[in-house]
Amino acid sequence: MKNISVKYICSECGNITTTKTGRCTVCGSWGTLEEFNEPQKSTGSNKKSSSQKNIISALNVKAPSRILTGIEEFDRVLGGGLVAGAVVLIGGQPGIGKSTLLLQAAGSVAKNLNQPVLYISGEESENQVALRAARLKIACENLFLSCGQNLNDAVENLDDKNFVFFVLDSVQAMNCDDDSGWPGSINQVRATAQKIIDIARDKNIPAVIIGHITKDGKIAGPMLLEHMVDTVLNFSGEGYSSYRMLRAVKNRYGSTEELGIFEMNENGLSPVIDKSGLYWNRDDAAVPGVAMTIALEGNTPLAVEIQTLAARTVFQYPRRTSRGIELNRFQLLTAVVERRCNIPVNNHDLYINIAGGLHVQDPSADLASCAAIASALKNIPLTSGTCWLGEVGLAGEIRPVTRIELRLKEAARLGFNNAVISSKEDLKSNHGLKNIIQAKNLSEALKFASVKK
Ligand code: TYD
Ligand code: MG
């Protein structure tokens, strides 16, 4: 008789225990333990892969073969296309466009390679997917559909033809093992993902799994899921904007630095090649409270317009509201402007916004934020055609930023004339800009903009 002992797994950290407690003893999360069937160990086949190899001889193994999806932004984020035998997990909010992106990628691979591709959908009917494919103008003879929630039935289809790529939409919708509870439960999700990984390795073809995310932005299901796959991508975007961003959170076959930007329109997702115009309206009218910077999103330089508005307050405590920059950072920079440049802030409500719905975390935007705050409070526009690049410290000092040369080149390409940067930057050339102002501190930098005498 089989010895079945009940085990529990934490959906947050993946810790497995034999006792069910209200709180996970490892990560401290409450109510996250669920009953769990330990997967049966596979027999035999593992023996060979565990043989040892000298690292130099391992280097001679040829680079993994890749399949280009033909969607340039997607291929770049993947590190140069899909890798044969590797599994990608893509997560994102409902309605963000995961199914659209992967259906487009599947259609594009089927068309470009002229070989069969399978799209497995547990969420939509054949009719729905086919209609969408027709609307996206990607329906072709080599794109095959398998709709239904039974994973075993769906993957049987993979033996029918020599598929070169397959997509599973989504891991939470599939039923893999009848004994393991509802689709979406930890056991089902884990078993489904393991099955897809095994098939991709066995057949040496790439696979993409679509995953739902929880309200905190994590992929729903055990954290283990992210450890199991080779690449984890995050597809995100603000509800009101038509732009979508694709980033790699983990990538065994490439960097996690690349950013892909798409625009959702009536024809599906189209890649945005010139990204710099997205967050900048190129309007040269000088308005108080507006400053430009070049922020880095991974390796991509983006021209970002920071807008600040100062309005006389009617409240006892002036309001500080921010969108696109962390509120604490905004409050700190406001305090630095007040103390280090002697500009009173207390009788004003202050609002800061990044045009276009981008969220900037790059500290190089500090100087532009401070310049925008000072300009708004003084009601004096900043010198037009200027970008501000620097991290600002509590003493009002301007610190150097990473990859300044790349940012300056991009500023010159976009037609900026001036750049205000830290006096500590060591530049080899002007990179095509007319004026580079190197300032030690905020006060000195603002003098250039005539905001401060
Ligand atoms: P979808 O790919 O179904 O999102 P997900 O799989 O992430 O839940 O995208 C659904 C949204 O995209 C839907 O609200 C409508 C929009 N959309 C377009 O605007 N144009 C299109 O051509 C398509 C296919 C979808
Ligand atoms: Mg979907």
Side-chain angles (χ1 to χ4, degrees):
M1 209 176 90
K2 267 203 268 177
N3 179 14
I4 303 171
S5 59
V6 182
K7 292 194 174 165
Y8 301 91
I9 185 168
C10 168
S11 60
E12 280 298 309
C13 66
N15 178 48
I16 297 170
T17 89
T18 47
T19 38
K20 181 159 187 177
T21 47
R23 189 178 191 199
C24 172
T25 48
V26 173
C27 70
S29 307
W30 288 95
T32 52
L33 291 186
E34 284 183 31
E35 207 172 305
F36 164 69
N37 302 338
E38 193 140 36
Q40 284 169 1
K41 296 215 167 55
S42 54
T43 46
S45 64
N46 282 347
K47 273 183 194 158
K48 212 168 116 212
S49 62
S50 66
S51 68
Q52 46 176 302
K53 206 173 211 177
N54 169 317
I55 196 153
I56 304 292
S57 56
L59 276 177
N60 291 333
V61 176
K62 55 178 188 287
S65 60
R66 293 196 183 247
I67 291 180
L68 291 178
T69 63
I71 302 174
E72 208 183 295
E73 292 290 285
F74 189 31
D75 287 336
R76 197 161 45 75
V77 174
L78 287 169
L82 295 156
V83 174
V87 176
V88 177
L89 174 67
I90 178 167
Q93 300 280 357
I96 204 77
K98 302 178 294 295
S99 307
T100 308
L101 178 67
L102 269 306
L103 191 60
Q104 280 182 261
S108 176
V109 171
K111 189 162 167 244
N112 293 348
L113 299 188
N114 201 15
Q115 298 210 51
V117 171
L118 183 65
Y119 189 93
I120 303 171
S121 179
E123 302 205 338
E124 287 162 286
S125 69
E126 261 163 36
N127 212 354
Q128 282 172 316
V129 185
L131 277 175
R132 181 189 298 222
R135 196 151 38 84
L136 296 171
K137 300 192 180 64
I138 49 150
C140 73
E141 279 191 353
N142 278 318
L143 182 55
F144 291 84
L145 290 180
S146 162
C147 295
Q149 295 197 315
N150 189 322
L151 184 72
N152 296 324
D153 289 353
V155 295
E156 262 177 35
N157 294 318
L158 280 165
D159 296 327
D160 292 352
K161 297 197 168 46
N162 276 335
F163 287 103
V164 287
F165 169 45
F166 71 102
V167 175
L168 176 74
D169 183 6
S170 68
V171 68
Q172 282 89 0
M174 300 312 279
N175 208 340
C176 176
D177 176 356
D178 287 342
D179 302 333
S180 304
W182 294 97
S185 69
I186 289 192
N187 288 320
Q188 291 285 6
V189 165
R190 205 182 132 120
T192 303
Q194 190 58 56
K195 186 148 207 155
I196 298 294
I197 292 169
D198 290 346
I199 294 173
R201 300 240 157 101
D202 267 7
K203 295 191 180 291
N204 197 32
I205 56 174
V208 176
I209 303 178
I210 296 178
H212 296 176
I213 60 171
T214 61
K215 63 179 187 309
D216 343 316
K218 292 187 189 143
I219 291 180
M223 188 72 176
L224 281 181
L225 194 57
E226 297 184 32
H227 293 292
M228 285 160 78
V229 297
D230 300 290
T231 302
V232 180
L233 303 181
N234 181 9
F235 202 37
S236 62
E238 297 287 341
Y240 52 82
S241 156
S242 58
Y243 295 116
R244 306 280 186 262
M245 300 201 176
L246 185 68
R247 290 188 181 83
V249 183
K250 154 183 170 177
N251 195 352
R252 288 186 183 147
Y253 295 99
S255 113
T256 50
E257 293 278 271
E258 297 290 349
L259 166 75
I261 304 187
F262 297 86
E263 187 177 4
M264 177 68 96
N265 49 37
E266 67 281 4
N267 299 320
L269 290 157
S270 43
V272 177
I273 307 295
D274 185 8
K275 303 177 177 66
S276 268
L278 291 183
Y279 304 104
W280 175 34
N281 65 18
R282 290 174 200 253
D283 183 3
D284 236 8
V287 179
V290 175
M292 301 294 307
T293 189
I294 308 283
L296 277 190
E297 273 287 331
N299 283 326
T300 313
L302 294 175
V304 173
E305 183 174 321
I306 297 182
Q307 305 175 330
T308 311
L309 182 71
R312 196 160 282 280
T313 188
V314 291
F315 302 106
Q316 203 166 2
Y317 298 104
R319 287 170 62 145
R320 306 282 178 253
T321 310
S322 78
R323 208 170 75 176
I325 282 188
E326 211 202 324
L327 182 61
N328 283 340
R329 190 86 201 146
F330 174 45
Q331 285 172 330
L332 183 148
L333 296 173
T334 307
V336 173
V337 170
E338 180 185 31
R339 297 292 297 174
R340 305 295 170 202
C341 306
N342 289 324
I343 301 177
V345 299
N346 275 347
N347 44 7
H348 282 95
D349 289 335
L350 282 173
Y351 304 88
I352 195 165
N353 178 35
I354 306 284
L358 186 74
H359 192 90
V360 175
Q361 280 163 333
D362 186 347
S364 72
D366 286 359
L367 182 56
S369 308
C370 289
I373 296 168
S375 157
L377 286 163
K378 290 273 184 178
N379 206 22
I380 301 173
L382 297 166
T383 318
S384 63
T386 306
C387 71
W388 302 74
L389 297 165
E391 184 180 339
V392 175
L394 291 186
E397 81 280 15
I398 303 177
R399 302 206 191 116
V401 299
T402 53
R403 313 197 56 192
I404 185 78
E405 318 267 338
L406 176 74
R407 297 177 202 248
L408 292 176
K409 271 188 214 153
E410 180 68 3
R413 188 183 77 81
L414 294 170
F416 285 93
N417 295 323
N418 319 308
V420 185
I421 61 172
S422 162
S423 59
K424 298 210 176 92
E425 302 279 12
D426 184 16
L427 291 185
K428 294 189 185 70
S429 87
N430 267 15
H431 298 289
L433 289 161
K434 290 196 186 113
N435 267 322
I436 294 198
I437 298 97
Q438 296 204 266
K440 254 200 243 123
N441 53 41
L442 197 52
S443 235
E444 219 177 286
L446 292 180
K447 276 187 193 138
F448 160 75
S450 347
V451 168
K452 194 160 182 299
K453 303 272 172 325

